[in-house]
Every structure is written in C-alpha cells, then in structure tokens.
Amino acid sequence: DIQMTQSPSSLSASVGDSVTITCRASQTIVSFLSWYQQKPGKAPKLLIYAASSLQSGVPSRFSGSGSGTDFTLTISSLQPEDFATYYCQHSYSNPFPFGPGTKVDIK
Amino acid sequence: QVQLQQSGPGLVRPSQTLSLTCGISGDSVSSNSAAWNWIRQSPSRGLEWLGRTYYRSQWFNDYAVSVKSRITINPDTSKNQFSLHLNSVTPEDTAVYFCARGRIDSGDYFFDYWGQGTLVTVSS
C-alpha cells in the first residue's frame, strides 16, 4: 500500500498568517490527491481535489499544489474559522488512505 | 444539494455484526457518476476507508483489504440508501463511522458529501 505522511503534525498560527502543510506519498500518486478540513465532532469537508482544484464553495485563500510524491496545502490568510485539522488523501489505488492529519490551532 | 443521513445502533457486542444505513437525498444510489462509501475514524487508526458500492450498468463493490473478509456494503434502490455490515467485531472496530459520496473529476476520486457520523462502540 502507498503510505501518506504529513508535516507538521501540528502548528500554531495567528489570524492573517499564511500557512503551508505538506503531504508526502511513499510512491508516486500522480495528482490523485485531495485535502480535507475537519472540525471537532464534524465530518471532514472537501477543500481541494486533483491536487490543485478548488472544490465549489471553498474560499480562494485555500490552494493546493504538487504532483508525484510531494504536495502542499496553503492557506493564504488564516481566518478564525480555519482553525481545524487538515488531512490529505490519495486515490491512486485501493485503499485510498488518508494522512495522519495536521492540527492548526491559535497562537 | 446532496444530503446523507446515517442511522443505526451506537453499541454492538463483541463477535456480533455492526450494521449502519445511509439514506441519500439529492442524488441516486444508482447514479452512474457516483460511488457510495463507508469510512471510519478512530484515535488509533485515523481516517480509514472501508469500502464502496457503485452502479455502472451493474453493481460493483470494492473493499479495503483490512476488512475484506468481514464487510458487506449493499445498495437499496427502493429506499435510495446503502448499508454497511461488518461482522465478527472486536473492540478494535470502535470508531466513528461515516458514509460519503465518492466522485471522480480530473482523474481523481474524492469524497464530496459526508454523513453526520455515528459513534459505534464495541463492548459487552
């Protein structure tokens, strides 16, 4: 199976900061990579698919990039509602694993 | 707007079968462009995709190897819903279970709508 890692596992930031989260696959997954946001007690919410396509309704301050094995999620100007945990997930092959998550909290 | 509504018990005894249902509104379980998934989340295993059912002129199922011997996902076209059955459960199967719609775009497969989640505890 292709394994997913994320870094950092957690970070503290302030409103207005730019934040970058990295996701790495153990082998190439082309651009079959999605990003999700999850808040406590809620289901994950799709932000980005196909590495860089913004899901409808998601603010443009979220962006994704990368291909092959290395990917990034950037939040350009952090808003209060963005404090959450972020997960990457690949669909290159079954079983479509998620990364371990990156928790973004308030500095 | 697609909505997924989960139902089922929150407590299952060890060695018994975990059964959950996901009702669909705003789409069809027989859609030729969607797949219907079960995903679970626990502190020890994180988010884990379990399997899916989908219709492409006939019904197909895919399951994660980790649960393949114990899982069944069934569509119910008369009620526009799908179900999860996981047998021979142990405390390791304690988790929040989500249903989700899967979609393909630009070659990527992702989960764009999710149910509200059901905490299932396996305990005697």
Side-chain angles (χ1 to χ4, degrees), chain A residues 31-34 36 38 41-44 46 49-51 53 55 87 89 91 94-96 98, chain B residues 39 41 47-49 52 62-65 98 103 105-112 114-116:
Chain A
S31 296
F32 302 145
L33 191 283
S34 305
Y36 300 83
Q38 187 179 32
K42 299 294 187 181
L46 177 68
Y49 63 91
S53 296
Q55 170 68 351
Y87 297 93
Q89 173 250 329
S91 67
N94 180 328
F96 311 135
F98 291 80
Chain B
I39 295 162
Q41 185 174 30
L47 283 161
E48 180 185 17
W49 176 82
R52 64 183 175 181
D62 296 315
Y63 300 126
V65 170
F98 295 99
R103 192 167 67 86
D105 194 333
S106 305
D108 191 21
Y109 178 72
F110 48 86
F111 310 110
D112 59 353
W114 295 65
Q116 78 274 25

Side-chain angles (χ1 to χ4, degrees), chain A residues 51-87:
Chain A
S52 60
S53 296
L54 191 67
Q55 170 68 351
S56 175
V58 173
S60 60
R61 63 181 179 273
F62 292 92
S63 64
S65 65
S67 65
T69 60
D70 295 316
F71 301 84
T72 60
L73 172 71
T74 300
I75 311 172
S76 61
S77 177
L78 206 60
Q79 298 300 299
E81 60 268 29
D82 300 337
F83 293 97
T85 301
Y86 293 85
Y87 297 93

Side-chain angles (χ1 to χ4, degrees), chain B residues 12-103:
Chain B
V12 182
R13 304 301 182 192
S15 80
Q16 300 300 302
T17 298
L18 181 162
S19 296
L20 296 173
T21 299
C22 183
I24 303 165
S25 58
D27 200 348
S28 170
V29 72
S30 303
S31 167
N32 274 295
S33 59
W36 305 98
N37 302 262
W38 287 98
I39 295 162
R40 68 182 178 183
Q41 185 174 30
S42 65
S44 59
R45 303 173 74 99
L47 283 161
E48 180 185 17
W49 176 82
L50 299 177
R52 64 183 175 181
T53 189
Y54 57 99
Y55 185 77
R56 301 290 186 270
S57 302
Q58 65 183 71
W59 287 101
F60 294 90
N61 288 291
D62 296 315
Y63 300 126
V65 170
S66 61
V67 294
K68 192 170 186 177
S69 64
R70 302 191 290 130
I71 191 174
T72 304
I73 296 176
N74 292 321
D76 183 342
T77 57
S78 66
K79 296 181 179 179
N80 201 31
Q81 63 186 29
F82 62 108
S83 61
L84 166 70
H85 302 281
L86 185 67
N87 60 38
S88 304
V89 296
T90 73
E92 284 288 300
D93 295 307
T94 294
V96 177
Y97 286 75
F98 295 99
C99 59
R101 188 180 82 164
R103 192 167 67 86

